[in-house]
Amino acid sequence: MFDVGSFFLPKHILVGLESKIKSFDYGMVAMSYSWVLSLTRWLALSSVLTATRAAFSPEVAEMIQSWAPLVWLHSGEQFMPSSVEFFLEHVTLQNRKGRVLDQQPTLNKLPGGPPSTGLHLQSRQKLTCPSCLGPTFFHGKNVVNGGVPAYAIVREYQDAWKTVDVVYHTFYPYNRGKQVCIGISTGKDKEKCLGNVESFGHHVGDWEHVTLRFQNGKPHVIYLSVHNFGAYYIWNESAGYFLLHKGESPKEKAARRGRRRKFARDLQVTFPTVLHVSGKHPVLYSANGSHGLWATPGKHTYSTFPLLEDFTDQGVAWNTWENLVVIPWNDTPYPYAGQLEWLNFRGEWGNAKNGCDLEPLSGECRLNHGPIFPGGPDDMPPPRIQRSRQTVTTVAPPPPLQSPPPPHYLAYTPTVPQFLHAQVPVGRASGLLNYRYKRRDPQSTDPQAAVTANITEEPNQDSDSDPSDSGLEPTAKLANRLVTFVPEGSSTVSS
């Protein structure tokens, strides 16, 4: 059985193997074991990539590749990215008590689902102190010539706009935290600190990602993830770059992901207003040591107390499209198997936290626990609500709002109609909100019996054809036709 590492062979090795295969002499009787192993890996990788490409149309596959980001790593970056397989070679699988469950975890041996939530990956070589550097694998691999893969998880919605969400994930074996003045800071430099300068926020294992949404074969919006916050940029086709739409605070991001962050703060972050592209590739800048993604080079201050800054520049160019592992998104729980089984792992991708004596004050340990894999495309809401089962005819639009609503990818509200403050629509107009029409019976006092589904009747039928309206005054007829709006999945809807 071939080594699972064949799934992530660098591009230059594949090119070398391809030249060997073309010049292969079938009259050879003996071949070296290493060459046979390389050939086996190449064939296995080719079959996996062919099956992956077959999951998408040629247009979608080309779009994923041509819009993959160009990531500029900082010129002083010591902790480069790596493949997941490289990282697993240097860690063990442990539970919360520190008991080793697997000495050599691999891509297809990591447990998945809820049982894995209490597990973590611990470096074999122990750290001397929470802020100390020890293992050499922390420094990652060289990204030149496709030496490190990026992982693209792709979701197609099959809607009217042909929406496709692509999440480009990158992995780093180590994240270097920040130095903070514990005392009184007399200036912006860490040397001007009346007290001790401590470093916080280091962690083994580091996942970063950027999400790009396409509609009708064109980019629509991009989301940059920066630490525990982020920003949305909208594509401006005439200008040929992305423009900042809005930022997302730590509390907003935590709430969107359904996570409670005790120390999440609303940071006042100033995001760059423009995100440029090179050809079609979005140009991103990775922060030195911490790897947060920004749209421009320079200094980025995201907290003034304590002072927290990211620094980016054009150091080493990482062309993620040169080694891109494309993975179709699957909605079913923990669906991946074989060489993609590691995607089901819900534990922490790094060491257990340590050095937490000041955590009650700072909200950070010197060595934080490893990150959890961000998962699929959840930075963007579904592109639209499903249509109601009623036949909706053309009606007058609802009254305009005081200010135009935000773009639909941010305005989506699953349970609350967006035009509640406007005039309540009656009859067929209720279909505009994609909610099931219901009739309220004014004679009933039972809240459950007061609302009955009216699926077969037309809401705007003439009063003469409705027996329930006979003998009523015009005002009573109008009251009898007021509607309530209940989501499609409501338990009060009669089937």
Side-chain angles (χ1 to χ4, degrees):
M1 185 175 181
F2 69 92
D3 189 336
V4 291
S6 60
F7 186 63
F8 303 114
L9 280 179
K11 183 179 178 182
H12 67 278
I13 295 180
L14 297 180
V15 174
L17 289 173
E18 186 177 11
S19 63
K20 289 182 180 181
I21 292 174
K22 289 181 179 178
S23 60
F24 177 75
D25 183 5
Y26 290 92
M28 293 177 60
V29 179
M31 294 184 295
S32 66
Y33 172 76
S34 61
W35 194 91
V36 173
L37 181 60
S38 298
L39 175 61
T40 306
R41 290 181 174 182
W42 183 85
L43 293 175
L45 175 62
S46 300
S47 63
V48 171
L49 295 182
T50 301
T52 301
R53 293 192 188 99
F56 306 103
S57 65
E59 294 77 15
V60 172
E62 192 277 334
M63 186 172 61
I64 298 169
Q65 188 85 8
S66 61
W67 286 90
L70 163 62
V71 180
W72 282 102
L73 302 172
H74 194 272
S75 56
E77 183 62 70
Q78 301 180 46
F79 310 103
M80 307 295 279
S82 78
S83 67
V84 171
E85 181 208 13
F86 172 81
F87 179 74
L88 292 178
E89 294 174 356
H90 302 276
V91 297
T92 61
L93 180 65
Q94 299 185 7
N95 60 15
R96 291 174 179 171
K97 296 182 179 180
R99 179 186 174 188
V100 177
L101 305 179
D102 192 345
Q103 287 283 358
Q104 186 59 66
T106 57
L107 297 176
N108 59 350
K109 286 174 58 181
L110 278 178
S116 65
T117 55
L119 308 180
H120 68 274
L121 298 170
Q122 186 84 12
S123 59
R124 283 200 184 88
Q125 183 177 344
K126 294 184 178 180
L127 304 182
T128 309
C129 68
S131 301
C132 295
L133 296 176
T136 56
F137 79 92
F138 281 4
H139 300 286
K141 303 287 287 186
N142 191 351
V143 300
V144 178
N145 296 325
V148 175
Y151 306 94
I153 297 182
V154 184
R155 180 174 184 177
E156 292 188 85
Y157 286 93
Q158 307 295 337
D159 63 320
W161 293 281
K162 300 179 181 179
T163 304
V164 178
D165 286 348
V166 185
V167 188
Y168 297 95
H169 292 282
T170 56
F171 182 77
Y172 299 76
Y174 186 74
N175 176 98
R176 194 65 178 167
K178 305 294 183 181
Q179 288 186 328
V180 178
C181 174
I182 307 299
I184 301 175
S185 177
T186 59
K188 292 188 176 181
D189 297 331
K190 297 296 185 298
E191 292 78 10
K192 300 178 180 179
C193 174
L194 299 179
N196 296 327
V197 177
E198 300 278 358
S199 59
F200 293 89
H202 315 298
H203 51 86
V204 179
D206 186 22
W207 282 105
E208 304 292 342
H209 75 278
V210 55
T211 302
L212 186 54
R213 167 164 285 185
F214 301 91
Q215 290 189 330
N216 294 321
K218 298 179 180 179
H220 179 56
V221 61
I222 190 171
Y223 176 81
L224 298 190
S225 177
V226 191
H227 307 309
N228 60 346
F229 51 95
Y232 292 91
Y233 290 79
I234 299 177
W235 175 246
N236 187 318
E237 188 171 6
S238 61
Y241 50 71
F242 292 89
L243 286 173
L244 176 66
H245 174 70
K246 71 180 291 287
E248 185 180 48
S249 70
K251 287 187 177 180
E252 291 172 333
K253 187 172 184 177
R256 174 171 59 81
R257 296 199 163 193
R259 301 174 183 172
R260 293 184 178 181
R261 297 291 297 269
K262 183 177 179 181
F263 297 100
R265 295 167 294 156
D266 277 326
L267 304 176
Q268 300 298 321
V269 184
T270 301
F271 292 96
T273 57
V274 176
L275 193 161
H276 293 281
V277 298
S278 176
K280 290 184 178 180
H281 304 289
V283 181
L284 310 179
Y285 296 85
S286 176
N288 187 22
S290 58
H291 312 132
L293 296 173
W294 297 88
T296 57
K299 182 174 71 173
H300 306 278
T301 302
Y302 57 94
S303 175
T304 55
F305 184 79
L307 181 63
L308 299 176
E309 298 171 328
D310 275 349
F311 296 90
T312 60
D313 67 11
Q314 291 188 357
V316 180
W318 182 11
N319 302 327
T320 59
W321 59 92
E322 293 181 347
N323 192 347
L324 194 62
V325 180
V326 182
I327 305 167
W329 170 247
N330 195 321
D331 283 335
T332 58
Y334 321 110
Y336 299 101
Q339 295 175 351
L340 297 179
E341 197 166 349
W342 60 272
L343 292 167
N344 302 327
F345 182 63
R346 293 299 179 265
E348 297 168 354
W349 287 80
N351 291 20
K353 64 181 182 180
N354 193 7
C356 302
D357 51 311
L358 294 178
E359 184 182 17
L361 297 177
S362 64
E364 300 278 349
C365 298
R366 290 174 177 84
L367 181 69
N368 286 336
H369 59 71
I372 298 174
F373 180 64
D378 63 349
D379 294 317
M380 312 285 182
R384 66 179 299 172
I385 306 176
Q386 299 242 343
R387 285 182 177 273
S388 171
R389 287 185 288 175
Q390 295 182 9
T391 301
V392 181
T393 58
T394 304
V395 295
L401 304 176
Q402 295 291 336
S403 58
H408 70 275
Y409 67 89
L410 294 176
Y412 170 71
T413 306
T415 57
V416 182
Q418 299 176 27
F419 303 101
L420 283 180
H421 54 285
Q423 181 180 356
V424 177
V426 181
R428 296 182 189 272
S430 63
L432 293 177
L433 297 178
N434 300 310
Y435 281 77
R436 180 176 293 185
Y437 169 79
K438 294 193 171 186
R439 179 187 301 278
R440 179 176 296 279
D441 184 3
Q443 305 298 327
S444 175
T445 58
D446 184 1
Q448 294 296 328
V451 179
T452 57
N454 182 19
I455 305 302
T456 57
E457 293 184 347
E458 289 292 332
N460 271 356
Q461 59 187 337
D462 194 12
S463 60
D464 295 337
S465 62
D466 192 343
S468 63
D469 290 345
S470 58
L472 297 179
E473 294 296 327
T475 55
K477 293 180 182 180
L478 178 60
N480 193 28
R481 296 195 178 277
L482 292 180
V483 296
T484 59
F485 299 92
V486 180
E488 284 287 343
S490 173
S491 59
T492 61
V493 177
S494 301
S495 58

